[in-house]
Coordinates of all heavy atoms in Angstrom, one line a residue:
M142 N 5.2 -9.5 -9.5 CA 4.9 -10.9 -8.8 C 3.8 -10.6 -7.8 O 3.7 -9.6 -7.1 CB 6.2 -11.3 -8.0 CG 6.0 -12.5 -7.2 SD 7.5 -13.1 -6.6 CE 8.0 -11.9 -5.5
C143 N 2.9 -11.6 -7.7 CA 1.7 -11.5 -6.7 C 1.8 -12.6 -5.8 O 1.7 -13.8 -6.3 CB 0.5 -11.4 -7.5 SG -0.9 -11.0 -6.4
A144 N 1.9 -12.5 -4.5 CA 2.0 -13.6 -3.6 C 0.7 -14.2 -3.5 O -0.4 -13.6 -3.8 CB 2.6 -13.0 -2.2
D145 N 0.7 -15.3 -2.9 CA -0.5 -16.2 -2.7 C -1.2 -15.4 -1.4 O -0.7 -15.3 -0.4 CB -0.2 -17.6 -2.3 CG -1.5 -18.4 -2.0 OD1 -2.5 -17.8 -2.0 OD2 -1.3 -19.6 -1.7
L146 N -2.4 -14.8 -1.6 CA -3.1 -14.2 -0.6 C -3.5 -15.2 0.5 O -3.8 -14.7 1.6 CB -4.4 -13.4 -1.1 CG -4.0 -12.3 -2.1 CD1 -5.3 -11.6 -2.7 CD2 -3.1 -11.2 -1.3
A147 N -3.6 -16.4 0.3 CA -4.0 -17.4 1.2 C -2.8 -17.8 2.1 O -2.9 -18.6 3.0 CB -4.5 -18.6 0.6
D148 N -1.6 -17.3 1.8 CA -0.3 -17.4 2.6 C -0.8 -17.3 4.1 O -1.4 -16.5 4.5 CB 0.7 -16.4 2.2 CG 2.0 -16.6 3.0 OD1 2.0 -17.0 4.2 OD2 3.1 -16.3 2.3
S149 N -0.4 -18.3 4.8 CA -0.6 -18.3 6.3 C -0.1 -17.1 7.1 O -0.5 -17.0 8.3 CB -0.3 -19.6 7.0 OG 1.1 -19.9 6.8
T150 N 0.8 -16.4 6.5 CA 1.5 -15.3 7.4 C 0.4 -14.3 7.8 O -0.4 -13.9 7.0 CB 2.5 -14.5 6.5 OG1 3.4 -15.5 6.0 CG2 3.3 -13.5 7.2
D151 N 0.4 -14.0 9.1 CA -0.6 -13.0 9.6 C -0.1 -11.6 9.3 O 0.9 -11.1 9.7 CB -0.7 -13.3 11.1 CG -1.8 -12.4 11.7 OD1 -2.0 -11.4 11.2 OD2 -2.4 -12.9 12.6
A152 N -0.9 -10.8 8.7 CA -0.5 -9.4 8.3 C -0.3 -8.6 9.6 O 0.5 -7.6 9.6 CB -1.5 -8.7 7.5
S153 N -0.9 -9.0 10.7 CA -0.5 -8.4 11.9 C 0.9 -8.6 12.4 O 1.4 -7.7 13.2 CB -1.6 -8.8 13.0 OG -2.8 -8.8 12.7
E154 N 1.5 -9.6 12.0 CA 2.8 -9.9 12.5 C 3.8 -9.4 11.5 O 5.0 -9.0 12.0 CB 3.0 -11.5 12.5 CG 2.0 -12.2 13.3 CD 2.2 -11.7 14.8 OE1 3.2 -11.5 15.3 OE2 1.0 -11.6 15.5
A155 N 3.6 -9.1 10.3 CA 4.5 -8.5 9.3 C 3.8 -7.5 8.4 O 3.5 -7.8 7.2 CB 5.2 -9.7 8.4
P156 N 3.4 -6.4 9.0 CA 2.6 -5.6 8.3 C 3.3 -4.6 7.2 O 3.4 -3.4 7.3 CB 2.0 -4.7 9.4 CG 3.2 -4.6 10.4 CD 3.7 -5.9 10.4
R157 N 3.7 -5.3 6.2 CA 4.5 -4.6 5.2 C 3.8 -4.9 3.8 O 3.4 -6.0 3.6 CB 5.9 -5.1 5.0 CG 6.7 -4.9 6.2 CD 7.1 -3.3 6.2 NE 7.6 -2.8 7.5 CZ 7.8 -1.6 7.8 NH1 7.6 -0.6 6.9 NH2 8.3 -1.3 9.0
G158 N 3.7 -3.8 2.9 CA 3.2 -4.0 1.6 C 4.3 -4.4 0.6 O 5.2 -3.7 0.4
K159 N 4.3 -5.7 0.1 CA 5.4 -6.1 -0.7 C 5.0 -7.5 -1.3 O 4.0 -8.1 -0.9 CB 6.7 -6.3 0.1 CG 6.8 -7.4 1.2 CD 8.2 -7.2 1.8 CE 8.2 -8.3 3.1 NZ 9.4 -8.3 3.7
H160 N 5.7 -7.9 -2.3 CA 5.4 -9.1 -3.0 C 4.0 -9.2 -3.4 O 3.3 -10.2 -3.4 CB 5.7 -10.3 -2.3 CG 7.1 -10.3 -1.7 ND1 8.2 -10.0 -2.6 CD2 7.6 -10.6 -0.5 CE1 9.3 -10.1 -1.8 NE2 9.1 -10.4 -0.5
G161 N 3.4 -8.0 -3.9 CA 2.0 -8.0 -4.4 C 0.9 -8.0 -3.6 O -0.2 -8.4 -4.0
R162 N 1.2 -7.8 -2.3 CA 0.2 -7.7 -1.4 C 0.4 -6.7 -0.2 O 1.5 -6.4 0.0 CB -0.2 -9.1 -0.8 CG 0.9 -9.6 0.2 CD 0.7 -10.9 0.7 NE 1.7 -11.3 1.6 CZ 1.7 -12.5 2.4 NH1 0.7 -13.4 2.2 NH2 2.6 -12.7 3.3
A163 N -0.6 -6.3 0.4 CA -0.6 -5.3 1.5 C -1.5 -5.7 2.6 O -2.5 -6.3 2.3 CB -0.7 -3.9 1.0
P164 N -1.3 -5.3 3.9 CA -2.2 -5.7 4.9 C -3.6 -5.0 4.5 O -3.7 -4.0 4.0 CB -1.7 -4.9 6.1 CG -0.2 -4.9 5.9 CD -0.2 -4.7 4.3
D165 N -4.7 -5.8 4.8 CA -6.1 -5.4 4.5 C -6.5 -4.7 5.7 O -6.7 -5.2 6.8 CB -6.9 -6.6 4.2 CG -8.4 -6.2 3.9 OD1 -8.8 -5.2 4.2 OD2 -9.1 -7.1 3.3
V166 N -6.8 -3.3 5.6 CA -7.1 -2.5 6.8 C -8.4 -3.0 7.3 O -8.8 -2.5 8.4 CB -7.0 -1.0 6.5 CG1 -5.6 -0.6 6.1 CG2 -8.1 -0.6 5.4
F167 N -9.2 -3.6 6.6 CA -10.7 -4.0 7.1 C -10.7 -5.3 7.7 O -11.8 -5.8 8.2 CB -11.7 -3.8 6.0 CG -11.8 -2.4 5.5 CD1 -11.3 -2.0 4.2 CD2 -12.3 -1.4 6.3 CE1 -11.4 -0.7 3.8 CE2 -12.4 -0.1 5.8 CZ -11.9 0.2 4.6
R168 N -9.7 -6.1 7.6 CA -9.7 -7.5 8.2 C -8.5 -7.7 9.0 O -7.3 -7.8 8.4 CB -9.8 -8.5 7.1 CG -11.1 -8.7 6.5 CD -11.2 -9.9 5.5 NE -10.1 -9.8 4.4 CZ -9.2 -10.8 4.3 NH1 -9.2 -11.9 5.0 NH2 -8.2 -10.7 3.3
R169 N -8.5 -7.7 10.3 CA -7.4 -7.9 11.1 C -6.6 -9.1 10.6 O -7.1 -10.2 10.6 CB -7.8 -8.0 12.6 CG -6.6 -8.1 13.6 CD -7.0 -8.2 15.0 NE -7.7 -7.0 15.4 CZ -7.0 -5.8 15.9 NH1 -5.8 -5.8 15.9 NH2 -7.8 -4.8 16.2
G170 N -5.2 -9.0 10.3 CA -4.4 -10.1 10.0 C -4.5 -10.4 8.5 O -3.8 -11.3 8.0
G171 N -5.5 -9.9 7.8 CA -5.7 -10.3 6.3 C -4.9 -9.5 5.3 O -4.3 -8.4 5.7
W172 N -4.9 -9.9 4.1 CA -4.1 -9.3 3.0 C -5.0 -8.9 2.0 O -6.0 -9.4 1.8 CB -3.0 -10.3 2.6 CG -2.0 -10.6 3.5 CD1 -2.0 -11.9 4.2 CD2 -0.8 -10.0 3.8 NE1 -0.9 -12.0 5.0 CE2 -0.1 -10.9 4.8 CE3 -0.3 -8.8 3.5 CZ2 1.0 -10.4 5.3 CZ3 0.9 -8.4 4.1 CH2 1.5 -9.3 4.9
M173 N -4.6 -7.9 1.2 CA -5.2 -7.6 -0.1 C -4.1 -7.4 -1.2 O -3.0 -7.1 -0.9 CB -6.0 -6.3 0.0 CG -5.3 -5.1 0.4 SD -6.4 -3.7 0.7 CE -7.2 -3.5 -0.8
R174 N -4.6 -7.5 -2.4 CA -3.6 -7.5 -3.5 C -3.1 -5.9 -3.6 O -3.9 -5.1 -3.5 CB -4.2 -7.8 -4.9 CG -4.6 -9.3 -4.9 CD -5.0 -9.7 -6.4 NE -5.4 -11.1 -6.3 CZ -4.6 -12.2 -6.3 NH1 -3.4 -12.0 -6.2 NH2 -5.2 -13.3 -6.2
M175 N -1.8 -5.8 -4.0 CA -1.1 -4.6 -4.2 C -0.4 -4.6 -5.5 O 0.4 -5.5 -5.6 CB -0.3 -4.2 -3.1 CG 0.3 -2.8 -3.2 SD 1.5 -2.5 -1.9 CE 2.9 -3.5 -2.3
R176 N -0.8 -3.7 -6.4 CA 0.0 -3.6 -7.7 C 1.5 -3.2 -7.3 O 1.7 -2.3 -6.6 CB -0.6 -2.5 -8.6 CG -0.2 -2.5 -9.9 CD -0.9 -3.5 -10.8 NE -0.3 -3.5 -12.2 CZ -1.0 -2.7 -13.2 NH1 -1.9 -2.0 -12.9 NH2 -0.4 -2.7 -14.3
E177 N 2.4 -3.8 -8.0 CA 3.8 -3.4 -7.9 C 4.4 -3.1 -9.4 O 4.0 -3.6 -10.3 CB 4.6 -4.5 -7.3 CG 4.4 -4.6 -5.8 CD 5.3 -5.5 -5.1 OE1 5.4 -6.9 -5.6 OE2 5.9 -5.2 -4.1
Y178 N 5.4 -2.2 -9.4 CA 6.0 -1.8 -10.6 C 7.5 -2.0 -10.5 O 8.1 -1.8 -9.3 CB 5.8 -0.3 -10.9 CG 4.3 -0.1 -11.2 CD1 3.5 0.5 -10.1 CD2 3.7 -0.4 -12.4 CE1 2.1 0.7 -10.3 CE2 2.3 -0.1 -12.5 CZ 1.5 0.4 -11.5 OH 0.2 0.6 -11.7
A179 N 8.2 -2.5 -11.6 CA 9.6 -2.5 -11.6 C 10.2 -1.1 -11.7 O 9.5 -0.1 -12.0 CB 10.0 -3.3 -12.9
L180 N 11.5 -1.0 -11.3 CA 12.1 0.4 -11.3 C 12.0 1.2 -12.6 O 11.9 2.4 -12.6 CB 13.5 0.3 -10.9 CG 13.7 -0.2 -9.4 CD1 15.3 -0.3 -9.1 CD2 13.1 0.9 -8.5
D181 N 11.9 0.4 -13.7 CA 12.0 1.1 -15.1 C 10.6 1.1 -15.7 O 10.5 1.5 -16.9 CB 13.0 0.5 -16.0 CG 12.9 -1.0 -16.2 OD1 11.9 -1.7 -15.4 OD2 13.6 -1.6 -16.9
D182 N 9.6 0.7 -15.0 CA 8.1 0.8 -15.5 C 7.6 2.2 -15.5 O 7.8 2.9 -14.5 CB 7.2 0.0 -14.6 CG 7.3 -1.6 -14.8 OD1 7.9 -1.9 -15.8 OD2 6.7 -2.3 -14.0
P183 N 7.1 2.7 -16.6 CA 6.6 4.0 -16.6 C 5.2 4.1 -15.7 O 4.4 3.0 -15.6 CB 6.1 4.2 -18.1 CG 5.9 2.8 -18.6 CD 6.8 1.9 -17.9
V184 N 5.1 5.1 -15.0 CA 3.9 5.3 -14.2 C 3.3 6.7 -14.5 O 3.9 7.6 -15.0 CB 4.1 5.2 -12.6 CG1 4.5 3.8 -12.3 CG2 5.2 6.2 -12.1
D185 N 2.0 6.9 -14.1 CA 1.4 8.2 -14.2 C 1.7 9.2 -13.2 O 1.8 10.4 -13.4 CB -0.1 8.1 -14.5 CG -0.5 7.1 -15.5 OD1 0.0 7.4 -16.7 OD2 -1.2 6.1 -15.4
F186 N 1.8 8.7 -11.9 CA 2.0 9.6 -10.7 C 3.0 8.9 -9.8 O 2.9 7.7 -9.5 CB 0.7 9.9 -10.0 CG -0.3 10.7 -10.8 CD1 -1.2 10.0 -11.5 CD2 -0.3 12.1 -10.7 CE1 -2.2 10.8 -12.3 CE2 -1.1 12.7 -11.4 CZ -2.2 12.2 -12.2
A187 N 3.8 9.7 -9.3 CA 4.7 9.3 -8.1 C 4.4 10.3 -7.0 O 4.6 11.5 -7.2 CB 6.2 9.4 -8.6
I188 N 3.9 9.8 -6.0 CA 3.4 10.5 -4.8 C 4.5 10.3 -3.7 O 4.7 9.3 -3.3 CB 2.1 10.1 -4.4 CG1 1.1 10.4 -5.4 CG2 1.7 10.9 -3.0 CD1 -0.3 9.9 -5.2
V189 N 5.0 11.5 -3.2 CA 6.0 11.5 -2.1 C 5.3 11.9 -0.8 O 4.8 13.0 -0.7 CB 7.2 12.4 -2.4 CG1 8.2 12.3 -1.2 CG2 7.8 12.0 -3.7
G190 N 5.2 10.9 0.1 CA 4.6 11.1 1.3 C 3.1 10.5 1.3 O 2.2 11.1 0.6
T191 N 2.9 9.5 2.1 CA 1.5 8.8 2.0 C 0.8 9.0 3.3 O 0.4 8.0 3.9 CB 1.7 7.4 1.5 OG1 2.6 6.7 2.4 CG2 2.2 7.3 0.1
G192 N 0.7 10.2 3.7 CA -0.1 10.4 5.0 C -1.6 10.6 4.6 O -2.0 10.0 3.5
A193 N -2.3 11.4 5.3 CA -3.7 11.5 5.1 C -4.0 12.1 3.7 O -4.7 11.6 2.9 CB -4.3 12.6 6.1
G194 N -3.2 13.0 3.2 CA -3.2 13.6 1.8 C -2.9 12.7 0.7 O -3.6 12.4 -0.2
G195 N -1.5 12.3 0.9 CA -0.9 11.4 -0.3 C -1.5 10.1 -0.3 O -1.8 9.6 -1.6
A196 N -1.9 9.5 0.7 CA -2.4 8.1 0.6 C -4.0 8.2 -0.1 O -4.2 7.4 -0.9 CB -2.6 7.5 2.0
T197 N -4.7 9.2 0.3 CA -6.0 9.4 -0.2 C -5.9 9.8 -1.8 O -6.6 9.0 -2.5 CB -6.8 10.5 0.4 OG1 -6.8 10.2 1.9 CG2 -8.2 10.6 0.0
L198 N -5.1 10.5 -2.0 CA -4.8 10.8 -3.5 C -4.4 9.7 -4.2 O -4.9 9.3 -5.4 CB -3.7 12.0 -3.7 CG -3.4 12.3 -5.1 CD1 -4.7 13.0 -5.8 CD2 -2.3 13.4 -5.0
A199 N -3.5 8.8 -3.8 CA -3.0 7.7 -4.4 C -4.2 6.6 -4.6 O -4.2 6.1 -5.7 CB -1.9 7.0 -3.6
C200 N -4.9 6.5 -3.6 CA -6.2 5.5 -3.7 C -7.1 6.0 -4.8 O -7.5 5.3 -5.6 CB -6.8 5.5 -2.3 SG -8.2 4.4 -2.2
R201 N -7.5 7.3 -4.8 CA -8.4 7.8 -5.8 C -7.8 7.6 -7.2 O -8.5 7.3 -8.2 CB -8.9 9.1 -5.5 CG -9.6 9.3 -4.1 CD -10.8 8.4 -4.0 NE -11.8 8.6 -5.2 CZ -12.8 9.5 -5.1 NH1 -12.9 10.3 -4.0 NH2 -13.6 9.8 -6.1
L202 N -6.5 8.0 -7.4 CA -5.9 7.9 -8.7 C -5.9 6.5 -9.2 O -6.2 6.2 -10.4 CB -4.6 8.5 -8.6 CG -4.5 10.0 -8.5 CD1 -3.0 10.6 -8.3 CD2 -5.0 10.8 -9.8
A203 N -5.5 5.6 -8.4 CA -5.5 4.1 -8.7 C -6.8 3.6 -9.0 O -7.0 2.9 -9.9 CB -4.9 3.3 -7.5
E204 N -7.8 4.0 -8.2 CA -9.2 3.6 -8.5 C -9.7 4.1 -9.8 O -10.5 3.5 -10.5 CB -10.2 4.0 -7.4 CG -10.0 3.3 -6.1 CD -10.9 3.8 -5.0 OE1 -11.3 4.9 -5.1 OE2 -10.9 3.2 -4.0
A205 N -9.1 5.2 -10.2 CA -9.5 5.8 -11.6 C -8.7 5.2 -12.7 O -8.9 5.6 -13.9 CB -9.4 7.3 -11.5
G206 N -7.8 4.3 -12.4 CA -7.1 3.5 -13.4 C -5.7 4.0 -13.7 O -5.0 3.5 -14.6
F207 N -5.3 5.1 -13.0 CA -3.8 5.5 -13.2 C -2.8 4.6 -12.5 O -3.1 3.9 -11.6 CB -3.7 6.9 -12.6 CG -4.5 8.0 -13.4 CD1 -5.7 8.5 -12.8 CD2 -4.0 8.4 -14.6 CE1 -6.4 9.4 -13.6 CE2 -4.8 9.4 -15.3 CZ -5.9 9.9 -14.8
R208 N -1.7 4.6 -13.1 CA -0.5 3.8 -12.6 C 0.2 4.7 -11.5 O 0.7 5.8 -11.9 CB 0.5 3.4 -13.7 CG -0.2 2.4 -14.7 CD 0.5 2.4 -16.0 NE 1.8 1.7 -15.8 CZ 2.1 0.5 -15.9 NH1 1.1 -0.3 -16.1 NH2 3.3 0.0 -15.7
V209 N 0.2 4.3 -10.4 CA 0.5 5.1 -9.2 C 1.5 4.5 -8.4 O 1.5 3.2 -8.1 CB -0.6 5.5 -8.3 CG1 -0.1 6.5 -7.2 CG2 -1.6 6.2 -9.1
V210 N 2.6 5.1 -8.1 CA 3.6 4.7 -7.0 C 3.7 5.7 -5.9 O 3.5 6.9 -6.2 CB 5.1 4.4 -7.6 CG1 5.0 3.3 -8.4 CG2 5.6 5.6 -8.1
A211 N 3.8 5.3 -4.7 CA 3.9 6.1 -3.5 C 5.0 5.8 -2.6 O 5.3 4.6 -2.4 CB 2.5 6.0 -2.8
F212 N 5.7 6.8 -2.2 CA 6.8 6.7 -1.2 C 6.6 7.4 0.1 O 5.9 8.3 0.1 CB 8.1 7.5 -1.8 CG 8.4 7.0 -3.3 CD1 7.9 7.6 -4.4 CD2 9.4 5.9 -3.4 CE1 8.3 7.2 -5.6 CE2 9.7 5.6 -4.7 CZ 9.1 6.2 -5.8
D213 N 7.1 6.7 1.2 CA 6.9 7.3 2.4 C 8.2 7.0 3.3 O 8.7 5.9 3.2 CB 5.7 6.8 3.1 CG 5.4 7.8 4.3 OD1 5.9 7.6 5.4 OD2 4.4 8.7 4.1
A214 N 8.6 7.9 4.0 CA 9.8 7.9 4.8 C 9.6 7.2 6.2 O 10.6 6.8 7.0 CB 10.5 9.2 5.0
G215 N 8.4 7.1 6.5 CA 8.0 6.8 7.9 C 7.7 5.3 8.0 O 7.9 4.5 7.2
A216 N 7.3 4.9 9.2 CA 6.9 3.7 9.5 C 5.5 3.3 8.9 O 4.8 4.1 8.5 CB 6.8 3.5 11.1
W217 N 5.3 1.9 8.8 CA 4.0 1.5 8.4 C 3.0 1.4 9.6 O 3.2 0.5 10.5 CB 4.2 0.1 7.9 CG 2.8 -0.4 7.3 CD1 1.7 -0.9 7.9 CD2 2.5 -0.6 5.9 NE1 0.7 -1.1 7.1 CE2 1.2 -1.1 5.9 CE3 3.1 -0.4 4.6 CZ2 0.4 -1.3 4.6 CZ3 2.5 -0.7 3.5 CH2 1.1 -1.2 3.5
W218 N 2.1 2.3 9.6 CA 1.1 2.3 10.8 C 0.0 1.5 10.5 O -0.7 1.7 9.4 CB 0.7 3.8 11.0 CG 1.8 4.7 11.4 CD1 2.5 5.5 10.7 CD2 2.5 4.7 12.7 NE1 3.5 6.2 11.3 CE2 3.6 5.7 12.6 CE3 2.4 4.0 13.9 CZ2 4.5 6.0 13.6 CZ3 3.3 4.4 14.9 CH2 4.2 5.2 14.8
R219 N -0.4 0.7 11.2 CA -1.5 -0.3 11.0 C -2.8 0.5 11.6 O -2.9 0.8 12.8 CB -1.4 -1.6 11.9 CG -0.5 -2.6 11.2 CD -0.3 -3.7 12.1 NE 0.6 -3.5 13.1 CZ 0.6 -4.2 14.2 NH1 -0.3 -5.1 14.4 NH2 1.4 -4.0 15.1
P220 N -3.8 0.8 10.6 CA -5.0 1.5 11.0 C -5.7 0.8 12.1 O -6.4 1.6 12.9 CB -5.7 1.6 9.6 CG -4.7 1.5 8.6 CD -3.7 0.5 9.2
L221 N -5.7 -0.5 12.2 CA -6.5 -1.2 13.2 C -6.0 -1.0 14.5 O -6.5 -1.1 15.5 CB -6.6 -2.7 12.9 CG -7.5 -3.0 11.8 CD1 -7.4 -4.5 11.5 CD2 -8.9 -2.5 11.8
Ligands
FAD555 C1 -1.6 13.5 17.5 C2 -2.4 14.0 16.2 C3 -3.8 13.7 16.3 C4 -4.6 14.2 15.2 N1 -5.9 13.8 15.2 C5 -6.7 14.2 14.1 C6 -8.0 13.9 14.1 O1 -8.5 13.2 15.1 N2 -8.8 14.3 13.0 C7 -8.2 15.0 12.1 O2 -8.9 15.4 11.0 N3 -6.9 15.3 12.0 C8 -6.1 14.9 13.0 N4 -4.8 15.3 13.0 C9 -4.3 16.1 12.0 C10 -4.0 15.1 10.8 O3 -3.2 14.0 11.2 C11 -3.2 16.0 9.8 O4 -3.9 17.2 9.4 C12 -3.0 15.2 8.5 O5 -2.3 13.9 8.8 C13 -2.1 16.0 7.5 O6 -2.1 15.2 6.3 P1 -0.9 15.3 5.3 O7 -1.0 14.5 4.2 O8 -0.6 16.9 5.0 O9 0.4 15.0 6.2 P2 0.8 13.6 6.9 O10 -0.5 12.8 7.3 O11 1.5 14.0 8.1 O12 1.6 12.8 5.9 C14 2.9 13.2 5.5 C15 3.6 11.9 5.1 O13 4.8 12.3 4.4 C16 5.8 11.4 4.8 N5 7.1 12.2 4.6 C17 7.6 13.2 5.0 N6 8.7 13.7 4.4 C18 9.0 12.7 3.5 C19 10.0 12.5 2.6 N7 11.1 13.3 2.5 N8 10.1 11.5 1.8 C20 9.0 10.5 1.9 N9 8.0 10.7 2.7 C21 8.0 11.8 3.7 C22 5.6 11.2 6.3 O14 6.2 10.0 6.6 C23 4.1 11.1 6.4 O15 3.6 9.8 6.2 C24 -4.0 14.8 14.1 C25 -2.6 15.0 14.1 C26 -1.9 14.6 15.2 C27 -0.3 14.9 15.2

């Protein structure tokens, strides 16, 4: 499911990646599309820990066309 990116909800107020969108780190309060998978969907990579290393790896793999899911135990830190 992909939410309407024009939704008036401010990403600064609810900075969570869900419903097909995630906070856009380059636009304060903005959103960008985020691919989501069902629990039984096959993926190419499952990355545990999305800090500096895991997040960068997930980004590059996704840009290369792989199906990637990433897990993190911590809070959602807003880069801005
Ligand atoms: C205060 C501070 C300032 C720093 N400043 C700089 C700087 O200016 N420049 C610089 O280059 N480096 C800086 N560093 C170092 C840099 O942050 C680290 O080198 C880098 O983050 C290490 O990347 P990483 O991917 O190995 O681990 P991390 O970035 O720490 O990521 C690990 C991730 O795994 C998650 N995780 C852990 N256990 C689990 C689990 N069981 N299940 C799911 N998720 C889990 C954590 O929540 C975390 O998000 C700084 C570090 C600190 C603490």
Side-chain angles (χ1 to χ4, degrees):
M142 175 174 67
C143 190
D145 180 2
L146 294 179
D148 183 323
S149 61
T150 307
D151 188 329
S153 303
E154 302 300 320
R157 293 287 166 187
K159 60 183 179 182
H160 305 317
R162 68 182 190 178
D165 183 340
V166 299
F167 296 113
R168 283 186 307 124
R169 185 178 294 277
W172 297 98
M173 62 186 301
R174 292 188 190 285
M175 181 186 72
R176 189 86 182 266
E177 286 189 311
Y178 298 98
L180 291 177
D181 55 356
D182 283 343
V184 296
D185 300 305
F186 293 92
I188 297 172
V189 179
T191 53
T197 305
L198 179 62
C200 179
R201 296 304 302 270
L202 289 170
E204 286 175 346
F207 291 104
R208 297 162 64 90
V209 182
V210 293
F212 303 90
D213 199 279
W217 183 291
W218 298 103
R219 281 178 283 154
L221 290 178

